[in-house]
Amino acid sequence: MSKRKISSAQELTEGTPSKSKRRLDAYSDSPTTSHIAKQTMVAQAGFLPYSSVTPQTFLSKSIPFQQPMPLTSFSYTPDHIQEFNDSALRYFRPPPPNAHLGYGYERWVRRPEGRSRIDSLLRAVDRVTDGQRKKMNLEDVGVVAWRGVITRILTAPYEDREGWEMNVMLIKGTLYLEEHRSESLITEKNNIKPQHRKRMYYGYAFESYCTTDTDMPSYSKTASTRSNEPSHVAHVGDTLGWGGDVNTNIQWCSIVRTKLGDTRFIIGGEVDCSDGQYKGTTDTFVELKTSMSIRGAADEENFERKLLKFYFQSFLLGVPKIVVGFRTPSGQLTSTQSFQTMQIPRMVREKAENKRISTPWDPSLCLAWCHHFLAYLKRTLAACESDDIPNHQNPAEDPEEKVQHDYSPIPTQVWRVSFLPGEGARLVKLDRSDVEKVVNGEDRVGFIPRWYWDKIKSSSAYASHSDPIRSTTTEQPVQGAVGGWRI
């Protein structure tokens, strides 16, 4: 299959962006969250302001994005054990009218929050880059990360409320990214207020109402006929349309490859369900979301902000459709609406133009920022051969934005990026004690599991990134096209 890509980042908005844009201030007075560590930064810590990317910069240098293509998939069992099969895959069906999203709350099995490790993603990466199932060369990959991390990087320029952190390692030319969660943040996530916990559950309940374990959904199925379904527990007398009790240990994940500019990614993330039989492509994927019913201008504005995250979460995995369930504050489903992922930017822009207001967000700016940030991150880590960060030129003015094919030896360093709302991204190399906190007494090198580290370290495939043969390696074709994408 020939390589296909969106010809420019502007096509994501399906037209010329509005000239009136939300101002991105490098030093706004937006408060940062308490979870951004107030570390004593080393003297030469790096900082990249969001203002380093503006509409003028990305309009003059469009960043192409390649259609996500599936590599493999896996399931998590009710005990959250990873298995390379589709046993946890769910299938879409319309939810019943006026469904009560609080149903089954007392039976919810909630997986405890913990460190956001990438171990299961690396098992999938190893599976598709080595052995008989090999579909691409790891030395050609610039970034490996969960979908959630890339989504947060992309949307960071528009985030003015909540900061976050991630850990980074550069291993033989590939950036590995992992969300950093402090012990205090993990504790807080596991002890959320009851009303917040209930709102969180509404989203999972909506997924249960919208899915079934068979690709031939029917509301007439009784609890007794559902009892053999492996992934969700049913009970006699379950409400109409209930797909089974919620267990957040159970997930079905898709691993895709894609490309932003000249940087190849391997990204993994959970997919809620398939609309019809799954045939190994992404064109049947469906993302399920809930939101408060829109009662006025404030609710509408809030929903349009949420659409930015909805859009990129689906965009990155090639999910073509998002189904949103609108609910009351007490959890009563009032209506549902389907959105075609690739139409969302145009919808948001046209709505703003009709109101004669600034477009609340622009995906082209997000892509330009992500590409610029990753290039800066790669250059900085590759150039650092000692404990001190070298004196770089202004990252906003650096003409060389290439993220891939730069040789980097196996490192011992772990880096931390803090995303500060309304300001930018701050980069610092962790000292030994902080690295030990990342390791957390586990068998790891930094946050990379030892088995993967040893395999990369001993692999003869990484003898040299300067090998001209590797820089022109032809990718093996992977089946799977997303209907409706403008390629």
Side-chain angles (χ1 to χ4, degrees), residues 168-341:
V168 184
M169 294 178 69
L170 180 65
I171 305 175
K172 293 192 171 181
T174 301
L175 286 169
Y176 293 83
L177 313 179
E178 177 184 85
E179 180 185 356
H180 171 68
R181 292 181 176 180
S182 65
E183 291 301 323
S184 60
L185 178 58
I186 293 173
T187 300
E188 181 176 314
K189 285 181 173 290
N190 282 313
N191 295 279
I192 58 177
K193 295 180 180 180
Q195 60 269 31
H196 184 195
R197 179 185 171 94
K198 195 68 174 286
R199 290 195 298 269
M200 181 187 297
Y201 177 78
Y202 291 157
Y204 294 126
F206 181 67
E207 292 179 14
S208 181
Y209 280 116
C210 287
T211 61
T212 178
D213 284 325
T214 175
D215 58 0
M216 299 178 64
S218 171
Y219 290 136
S220 63
K221 292 171 69 178
T222 64
S224 61
T225 61
R226 287 202 309 269
S227 60
N228 291 326
E229 295 178 353
S231 58
H232 289 259
V233 178
H235 299 273
V236 175
D238 274 345
T239 188
L240 179 68
W242 183 244
D245 290 346
V246 176
N247 182 344
T248 51
N249 285 299
I250 302 170
Q251 294 177 310
W252 185 78
C253 297
S254 176
I255 312 301
V256 303
R257 70 177 187 189
T258 187
K259 190 175 180 183
L260 176 62
D262 47 26
T263 306
R264 292 181 177 89
F265 292 71
I266 293 182
I267 300 174
E270 182 183 7
V271 174
D272 291 330
C273 58
S274 173
D275 190 1
Q277 184 180 5
Y278 173 60
K279 298 180 180 180
T281 65
T282 66
D283 58 320
T284 60
F285 288 175
V286 179
E287 182 78 12
L288 301 172
K289 297 292 186 181
T290 56
S291 187
M292 282 286 293
S293 298
I294 297 176
R295 299 161 294 181
D299 289 337
E300 185 175 18
E301 181 180 347
N302 183 56
F303 179 67
E304 289 176 355
R305 284 175 56 91
K306 291 172 72 172
L307 279 176
L308 172 62
K309 184 177 179 181
F310 291 0
Y311 169 73
F312 272 118
Q313 283 179 327
S314 296
F315 177 84
L316 288 171
L317 291 186
V319 179
K321 184 168 73 172
I322 304 169
V323 177
V324 179
F326 293 94
R327 62 168 181 84
T328 65
S330 61
Q332 194 77 22
L333 187 67
T334 59
S335 64
T336 60
Q337 184 175 352
S338 295
F339 298 87
Q340 296 301 312
T341 301

Side-chain angles (χ1 to χ4, degrees), residues 41-60:
M41 298 296 179
V42 295
Q44 294 130 334
F47 182 79
L48 187 67
Y50 297 135
S51 61
S52 61
V53 174
T54 66
Q56 289 71 33
T57 60
F58 72 75
L59 285 176
S60 63

